[in-house]
Amino acid sequence: DLEKAGIKVHRVPAVFGPRHAPQANYATAEQGTNPKGERFYIALGGDPRAERVFVEALAAIKPGIARIHFLDRDITMSTLVAGGGISCRTKAEGAL
């Protein structure tokens, strides 16, 4: 449906684990630009191998991200069970 609407879709390994209970979801993240103009990406943590695979895939489709931060993987499951990932549960407000 997205492609039919004219949106370019990139398939990347972003969700790991069973469909009903993922152990990692890197797509529900936040991204932005720091005061130096460098782009960053913040995601929930996961298995180190899965993080590495995602970083490589993201770098291929979004070059120029200076930093990719993963939060403590020990909080990922409780966060997903409690209502989603970072972008589902945070809302940035304000401007510089």
Side-chain angles (χ1 to χ4, degrees), residues 31-93:
Q31 56 185 318
T33 305
N34 70 18
K36 295 179 185 177
E38 301 165 324
R39 293 171 49 204
F40 62 87
Y41 192 94
I42 304 170
L44 295 171
D47 176 88
R49 182 190 61 81
E51 289 179 0
R52 187 172 50 254
V53 169
F54 178 72
V55 166
E56 291 169 0
L58 188 62
I61 64 167
K62 287 191 122 181
I65 296 178
R67 298 283 311 258
I68 299 175
H69 304 274
F70 292 100
L71 299 180
D72 184 342
R73 64 183 54 97
D74 291 336
I75 65 168
T76 296
M77 285 305 296
S78 62
T79 297
L80 292 174
V81 169
I86 298 169
S87 65
C88 298
R89 299 180 65 196
T90 61
K91 301 298 174 224
E93 295 182 8

Side-chain angles (χ1 to χ4, degrees), residues 2-3 5-10:
L2 293 172
E3 289 173 333
I7 297 171
K8 187 172 185 174
V9 175
H10 299 278

